[in-house]
Amino acid sequence: MKKASIESIKARICYDSRGDESIETDVKVEGFIGRACAPRGASTGKYEAVGFNPNGIKATLELIFDYSSKLIGFDASNPKSLSQLLREIDGTKNFSRIGGSAAYAISVATAEAFARAKGVPLYKALLPKGPYLMPYPLGNVLCGGKHSGPGAPDIQEFLVCPLGAKSIKEGLRANIAVHKELRKQIEKKDPYFTGGKGDEGGWAPHIKDEEAFELVSSSSKIVSDSLGVDIRLGVDFASSSLWDEDSKAYVYTRWGAKRSSGEQLEFVMELVKKYHLFFLEDPFHEEAYEEFAELTKKLSKVYVVGDDIFVTNTSRLLKGVKMKAGNAAILKVNQAGTLGDAMDFAENARKHNYTLITSHRSGDTSDVHLSHIAIATQSKMIKSGVVGGERLSKLNELLRIDEELGGCNMAKLEV
Ligand code: PGA
Ligand code: ZN
């Protein structure tokens, strides 16, 4: 697409879904404004881009003002060259000077402004020739770990995915129905359940991991049978949060279990069998490439997914490719810092046959860019919760895109 340059940049402090401060920018390209506010994780990977300058969010904001003169006049058409410029300005490997939230907000807002200036939706500006396929919605229906309070399961996310859905409409309907059914199931078990939810909008009941699996599994079956849509279960163990380096074990503190790496592997394999799981995110901690490789070898037709281990970083992914660690990767733009770097990561994942899943963060905003990025990176799934304004903004955007494309085919999964 023809070049167009950045005309102005404005930045401010806004709030994310947890009520934490975040950076939002307005970038103007040919008179059109793009706006983006950075999301933020709670169970962050050790190697992901740092959110803010070490002196805090105000220092990050000031640096954006200081460097806006370098950005004004720069070509807005190419996320990768903008990423290079932002890296040069920052001068560190992980955006620890200007802050990854600034890199995120500038790069995503620029891409949106460019798309507006060209009169096309963001996904088309990023992937002009297509093909455009709809990612399957992978939704968190039950929250544990760092996204909920004590008493909820140790495992961070119990996920459902409507693998039998023929359209995004059908898929979202199924996930929402499971969310509603699950509440009824939880209330049967605990008549005093308050309806409390975790950070990503899934329920956060006072139950053990095993009970959570039973309830999510029975709720999915009920909905599957009534809607006639195959719904499968997935898990994000977020194992770096469970791993204790001193005792070299995965510690399930809330419910009193401790598992060595070997026992964790057995535990995961048993869960796959018992609950017919198709998606295992971070089953081991962020340095455990070998364990990832062992599990990947042992399983077939199951996605072994790297989030904290790859942190949307191409060189960490390529190490995984070399070791055959995992077969799928989470893409979170703010882990990389910039949209350009995340797109590079996506290209490498596709080239090496790693299935891509574009994902929200636990602290998110009502921005809708995620849906466009998922389509433009040809992600097979999108993780954006099931309910909650900041989750549904993205899922509703998929419905609009589906309508605009006159009905979009679902991506092809290999499970
Ligand atoms: P986070 O969690 O956004 O808190 O990092 C999401 C995830 O681990 O997938
Ligand atoms: Zn994760």
Side-chain angles (χ1 to χ4, degrees):
M1 238 172 261
K2 245 180 99 204
K3 285 189 178 182
S5 45
I6 296 176
E7 288 167 357
S8 69
I9 296 184
K10 238 188 190 179
R12 65 183 68 83
I13 295 174
C14 279
Y15 294 94
D16 69 16
S17 56
R18 261 193 292 260
D20 290 331
E21 289 181 334
S22 182
I23 294 283
E24 181 176 85
T25 63
D26 293 354
V27 174
K28 200 194 272 181
V29 173
E30 292 186 341
F32 290 84
I33 299 221
R35 174 174 291 164
C37 185
R40 208 161 149 211
S43 72
T44 46
K46 189 153 80 183
Y47 300 100
E48 64 178 88
V50 173
F52 305 117
N53 175 278
N55 294 323
I57 195 164
K58 289 217 173 78
T60 301
L61 201 60
E62 277 160 25
L63 283 167
I64 300 177
F65 292 127
D66 291 351
Y67 286 106
S68 56
S69 60
K70 286 203 176 196
L71 293 158
I72 288 167
F74 197 80
D75 173 26
S77 70
N78 185 344
K80 286 193 186 163
S81 54
L82 178 61
S83 169
Q84 218 174 328
L85 175 67
L86 288 165
R87 288 205 166 272
E88 275 165 29
I89 288 174
D90 179 77
T92 72
K93 271 194 166 164
N94 56 357
F95 286 106
S96 54
R97 212 171 77 75
I98 66 167
S101 55
Y104 175 97
I106 293 169
S107 62
V108 175
T110 301
E112 184 181 82
F114 174 74
R116 290 209 166 141
K118 297 297 158 197
V120 294
L122 178 59
Y123 68 90
K124 279 193 180 161
L126 296 174
L127 184 69
K129 294 191 182 127
Y132 308 118
L133 291 171
M134 222 12 105
Y136 280 87
L138 178 66
N140 183 347
V141 286
L142 200 150
C143 296
K146 285 192 172 166
H147 296 163
S148 67
D154 287 289
I155 292 174
Q156 185 177 282
E157 295 169 30
F158 295 81
L159 302 152
V160 292
C161 190
L163 293 192
K166 290 184 190 62
S167 67
I168 188 66
K169 266 187 218 149
E170 205 176 59
L172 296 184
R173 204 181 302 135
N175 279 2
I176 291 169
V178 176
H179 170 85
K180 291 184 177 175
E181 178 60 38
L182 180 57
R183 179 177 187 149
K184 290 188 208 156
Q185 300 287 322
I186 295 169
E187 282 170 350
K188 272 191 206 159
K189 215 169 179 59
D190 174 8
Y192 297 104
F193 177 55
T194 62
K197 292 178 188 165
D199 288 356
E200 292 183 348
W203 306 113
H206 188 259
I207 54 170
K208 299 184 182 186
D209 292 283
E210 299 84 66
E211 292 169 320
F213 277 113
E214 291 295 335
L215 294 179
V216 175
S217 174
S218 58
S219 307
S220 303
K221 184 155 184 348
I222 291 168
V223 174
S224 238
D225 291 347
S226 86
L227 297 183
V229 173
D230 186 26
I231 300 169
R232 295 275 298 274
L233 267 56
V235 177
D236 183 358
F237 292 89
S239 288
S240 299
S241 311
L242 302 171
W243 178 248
D244 175 42
E245 187 58 34
D246 293 336
S247 57
K248 302 261 181 272
Y250 294 92
V251 185
Y252 291 69
T253 352
R254 297 173 178 188
W255 300 103
K258 204 167 182 179
R259 297 183 174 96
S260 67
S261 291
E263 287 165 345
Q264 173 78 356
L265 188 122
E266 289 306 314
F267 175 58
V268 172
M269 299 276 292
E270 273 166 35
L271 291 174
V272 170
K273 219 165 139 195
K274 195 161 176 193
Y275 300 105
H276 199 209
L277 304 179
F278 86 106
F279 180 99
L280 305 168
E281 184 173 334
D282 285 351
F284 302 101
H285 67 83
E286 60 208 333
E287 313 281 8
Y289 277 88
E290 275 169 24
E291 289 87 337
F292 261 81
E294 204 183 333
L295 183 67
T296 311
K297 204 165 133 193
K298 281 196 150 72
L299 294 168
S300 70
K301 296 202 172 276
V302 175
Y303 291 116
V304 179
V305 188
D307 174 13
D308 291 344
I309 189 171
F310 299 144
V311 287
T312 319
N313 176 304
T314 302
S315 57
R316 289 191 66 85
L317 172 73
L318 294 180
K319 180 175 170 185
V321 169
K322 221 172 177 180
M323 293 180 67
K324 298 195 166 70
N327 52 23
I330 292 284
L331 182 143
K332 292 170 172 168
V333 174
N334 81 321
Q335 280 183 333
T338 66
L339 180 59
D341 285 353
M343 291 186 71
D344 180 68
F345 178 87
E347 268 165 40
N348 276 284
R350 288 199 306 271
K351 184 166 144 201
H352 295 288
N353 280 324
Y354 272 59
T355 294
L356 272 171
I357 304 100
T358 291
S359 170
H360 62 170
R361 299 306 305 245
S362 51
D364 218 297
T365 74
S366 52
D367 286 2
V368 300
H369 308 111
L370 194 83
S371 320
H372 292 257
I373 293 166
I375 293 176
T377 55
Q378 296 171 308
S379 291
K380 305 269 172 109
M381 286 171 262
I382 182 168
K383 262 182 98 181
S384 179
V386 179
V387 295
E390 74 282 3
R391 314 292 152 191
L392 278 166
S393 58
K394 293 144 183 77
L395 301 173
N396 284 334
E397 183 72 354
L398 290 176
L399 295 176
R400 292 179 203 110
I401 295 172
D402 186 53
E403 183 185 295
E404 180 194 283
L405 290 170
C408 181
N409 287 333
M410 300 302 287
K412 299 222 173 342
L413 292 172
E414 283 124 31
V415 284

